[in-house]
Amino acid sequence: MRGLIELWGVFVSTIAGMIRGGRPKGEIVRQMHAIGNKSMLFIAVTLGFIGMVMIYQACMQFNRVTGDLSQVGVQFIRLVTSDFAPTLTGMMLATRVGAGIAAEIGSMKVTEQVDALRMSGVLPVDYLIVPRFIASVVMTVVLTTLGGAIMYVAGGLTAHYQFGVNLKIFFDLSLLNPAHLSLGLVKAVTYGAAIPVVSGFCGLRAKGSSEGVGWATTAAVIGSSLAVLLLDFILSVAGFFVLGEALR
Amino acid sequence: MSDAPPPAARPVIEFRGVAKAFGDKQVLRDLSLDVRKGEVLFIIGTSGVGKSVTIKHLIGLLGVDAGEIWFDGKRVDTLREPELAPIRKRIGMVFQNSTLFDSMTLAENVALPLRKHQGMRQKKALVEARRRLDQVYMSEFADRYPAELSDGMRKRAAIARTLTLQPEVVLFDEPTTGLDPVNARRIDRLIRELSGGQGVTSVVVSHDLTSIFSIADRIAFIYQGAVRALGSRDEIRASDDPVVQQFIQGQSSGPMETPGF
């Protein structure tokens, strides 16, 4: 419970730090490159393959039950937009980016660099978490868009070449509406905010030596992944109540 | 160097019955210690006895479980993070690991406290940082990153960063650990010069017996969470406490209890 209160404290400090300013110059761009550009291939490959597998499985099941594959693409893009793209991107970033943030901040903590920051008149959250927070929110949205597009195209090509689905029918966007896009965007922003806060919090709690950094890294990956899953559930339920019919 | 009494006897720092535990481990039990203005006080003791923990309490990097800490007539152990900023301007700390920020050049490292504590603009702070680095013969490395330098160079740059705010008290956490003897003695000379020339109070945590018995005004020996012996170099050397003697003679066996051995 105390840990959750401290985590909330880090989140509030991060928001306050965004308002305070005083971030190191160029750090946000550097973090955007580290979080976004360096995750691009990872996200593209992972979501591309998951898209192919999901469509493969879906088409097989549809073939077994009804044999009508005309609705596969239409339903797939709705799911990709409102859930799969942000959540899978969030999960992937929780492992790659979460581990990196916790390891970097954890190493700084155990080598007393965080204490040295405090002695220099700097709030560690402002310097270490705020730039990663801003970069992560922006790049999670970008990567979700990219990953979702790749997932959709990979799924469409699988449906076409393996099951003979017409590309025009698969790539029909007529049933996609702003509600799906809004829910997907809210999820991407929320995961992008949660991952650096949870991971940074774990890094700042690192103690001792390399063992402490290892603990922080593991805790960050588990914590960030759980946060994504939990937030997915909460936002999906909230989305259902708020957006209702538009999501159906 | 002479074993003369310290320049002034007024305590600038007071630890009163300080206790601190980490989980089940009680590190400090009832530590009381005064530090006089302008002196070089060495805190010595075996590893894990709480020497670094003691000095970190003074600047609010750790909070006490019990007891009080006073700096220049003001109680500091009850201050919150924003209230500690003025104290941290007046008390600098040289950490054991140098703790230069890897992503910044030496000049940027030294400029950081000037920008944050004194509100100096980046350009002016960098000019000032180069001047400070020049004082420790490091100006030619101002644009290098910490990873490109030796341990001794990093330590000197870290000291320059600490001294950049011209603190009244400097806390040194094992300043000579990991340095070759030449660099170690240079650091000793720097600490002595700070005290003698500028009246800076230095509190040094160290195991380095050469340093301890060449530049200390007074020595505090910590054992089992409290100050076991306190005195000048000669008084500590002449101590009839077998635990103190075992430590300063570096004997592996004796009455001293060392957890883990």
Side-chain angles (χ1 to χ4, degrees):
Chain A
M1 191 62 198
R2 195 179 152 195
L4 281 177
I5 294 168
E6 287 177 16
L7 176 62
W8 178 252
V10 170
F11 175 69
V12 172
S13 299
T14 305
I15 301 298
M18 285 173 67
I19 298 161
R20 273 193 299 268
R23 297 177 286 277
K25 207 178 165 189
E27 184 64 9
I28 293 175
V29 174
R30 199 177 74 83
Q31 290 301 330
M32 282 171 76
H33 183 262
I35 292 170
N37 296 36
K38 290 188 174 176
S39 303
M40 218 168 261
L41 184 64
F42 178 54
I43 296 291
V45 170
T46 313
L47 267 70
F49 273 102
I50 293 175
M52 287 193 282
V53 171
M54 287 177 87
I55 287 299
Y56 196 89
Q57 291 289 348
C59 288
M60 283 217 311
Q61 299 306 323
F62 273 118
N63 265 340
R64 220 179 274 168
V65 182
T66 63
D68 176 14
L69 300 181
S70 63
Q71 287 298 302
V72 172
V74 175
Q75 298 304 326
F76 187 56
I77 187 60
R78 289 156 61 108
L79 280 171
V80 165
T81 309
S82 62
D83 196 62
F84 290 156
T87 304
L88 290 172
T89 302
M91 288 293 285
M92 294 302 118
L93 290 179
T95 55
R96 205 198 84 80
V97 175
I101 291 174
E104 200 174 341
I105 296 178
S107 300
M108 290 183 74
K109 177 78 191 313
V110 300
T111 57
E112 299 176 315
Q113 286 185 54
V114 173
D115 285 342
L117 274 177
R118 293 167 72 189
M119 288 303 292
S120 298
V122 176
L123 291 173
V125 168
D126 288 8
Y127 234 65
L128 301 173
I129 299 183
V130 171
R132 288 167 173 83
F133 180 88
I134 296 169
S136 174
V137 168
V138 173
M139 294 317 286
T140 305
V141 173
V142 172
L143 290 172
T144 295
T145 309
L146 174 82
I150 290 172
M151 197 176 189
Y152 186 42
V153 170
L157 294 176
T158 306
H160 178 67
Y161 288 109
Q162 282 293 312
F163 299 93
V165 178
N166 185 303
L167 285 178
K168 257 191 173 171
I169 291 173
F170 189 94
F171 292 119
D172 176 9
L173 299 174
S174 60
L175 288 180
L176 185 67
N177 63 46
H180 297 104
L181 290 168
S182 305
L183 184 57
L185 180 65
V186 168
K187 285 185 180 178
V189 169
T190 310
Y191 304 153
I195 292 166
V197 170
V198 172
S199 308
F201 166 72
C202 292
L204 289 174
R205 278 166 67 104
K207 287 176 189 164
S209 56
S210 52
E211 193 186 343
V213 178
W215 171 88
T217 308
T218 308
V221 171
I222 294 170
S224 302
S225 305
L226 281 176
V228 168
L229 290 174
L230 189 67
L231 289 167
D232 183 26
F233 176 73
I234 292 168
L235 291 173
S236 295
V237 173
F240 179 78
F241 281 110
V242 175
L243 300 168
E245 281 299 313
L247 284 176
R248 290 184 187 166
Chain B
M1 286 172 205
S2 71
D3 198 3
R10 184 165 69 85
V12 65
I13 299 164
E14 294 167 73
F15 294 87
R16 298 179 187 167
V18 172
K20 178 71 179 177
F22 294 98
D24 297 337
K25 193 182 176 197
Q26 189 71 40
V27 178
L28 301 179
R29 290 172 198 279
D30 182 19
L31 185 132
S32 295
L33 176 68
D34 288 349
V35 183
R36 298 168 186 164
K37 197 169 173 61
E39 75 171 337
V40 177
L41 176 82
F42 270 69
I43 297 178
I44 65 172
T46 52
S47 298
V49 79
K51 306 183 295 293
S52 302
V53 168
T54 301
I55 60 171
K56 282 182 179 177
H57 278 111
L58 179 61
I59 41 179
L61 295 179
L62 290 172
V64 297
D65 293 342
E68 296 175 4
I69 300 173
W70 293 74
F71 170 63
D72 201 19
K74 184 178 170 68
R75 189 168 173 187
V76 294
D77 60 281
T78 51
L79 299 180
R80 291 178 301 139
E81 188 78 13
E83 298 165 339
L84 284 162
I87 303 294
R88 290 173 181 166
K89 277 186 201 172
R90 297 174 65 191
I91 305 176
M93 178 157 180
V94 178
F95 291 87
Q96 189 176 349
N97 299 302
S98 300
T99 63
L100 295 172
F101 309 119
D102 301 333
S103 58
M104 298 180 191
T105 63
L106 287 197
E108 287 167 345
N109 263 284
V110 177
L112 184 64
L114 291 170
R115 290 198 295 118
K116 295 295 174 182
H117 275 306
Q118 294 188 347
M120 212 179 262
R121 289 196 168 275
Q122 171 83 342
K123 207 172 170 185
K124 194 179 172 196
L126 284 172
V127 172
E128 186 61 25
R130 284 174 191 278
R131 200 177 67 78
R132 302 290 165 87
L133 283 167
D134 194 38
Q135 288 172 345
V136 288
Y137 313 105
M138 293 288 292
S139 59
E140 62 184 294
F141 303 104
D143 295 321
R144 297 271 191 92
Y145 286 90
E148 299 169 337
L149 303 171
S150 69
D151 288 345
M153 287 172 164
R154 280 202 292 268
K155 191 75 88 175
R156 273 154 58 197
I159 291 173
R161 185 180 63 186
T162 303
L163 299 181
T164 195
L165 295 172
Q166 296 174 310
E168 297 158 43
V169 177
V170 182
L171 312 174
F172 292 89
D173 192 359
E174 304 200 18
T176 56
T177 299
L179 297 185
D180 61 79
V182 175
N183 271 311
R185 300 296 74 83
R186 282 177 180 160
I187 299 289
D188 287 349
R189 195 177 66 194
L190 183 67
I191 295 170
R192 195 66 255 180
E193 283 171 1
L194 281 173
S195 173
Q198 300 170 38
V200 172
T201 306
S202 298
V203 181
V204 187
V205 165
S206 181
H207 293 118
D208 185 343
L209 292 172
T210 311
S211 291
I212 294 164
F213 287 108
S214 58
I215 63 166
D217 287 321
R218 288 194 307 152
I219 299 165
F221 176 73
I222 297 185
Y223 183 64
Q224 293 184 333
V227 175
R228 171 100 173 193
L230 176 66
S232 67
R233 282 174 272 166
D234 287 344
E235 284 167 342
I236 293 293
R237 260 200 212 100
S239 170
D240 56 5
D241 185 333
V243 172
V244 175
Q245 283 303 324
Q246 186 189 344
F247 181 81
I248 63 176
Q249 289 173 26
Q251 292 166 342
S252 60
S253 58
M256 185 183 285
E257 288 177 25
T258 47
F261 283 92

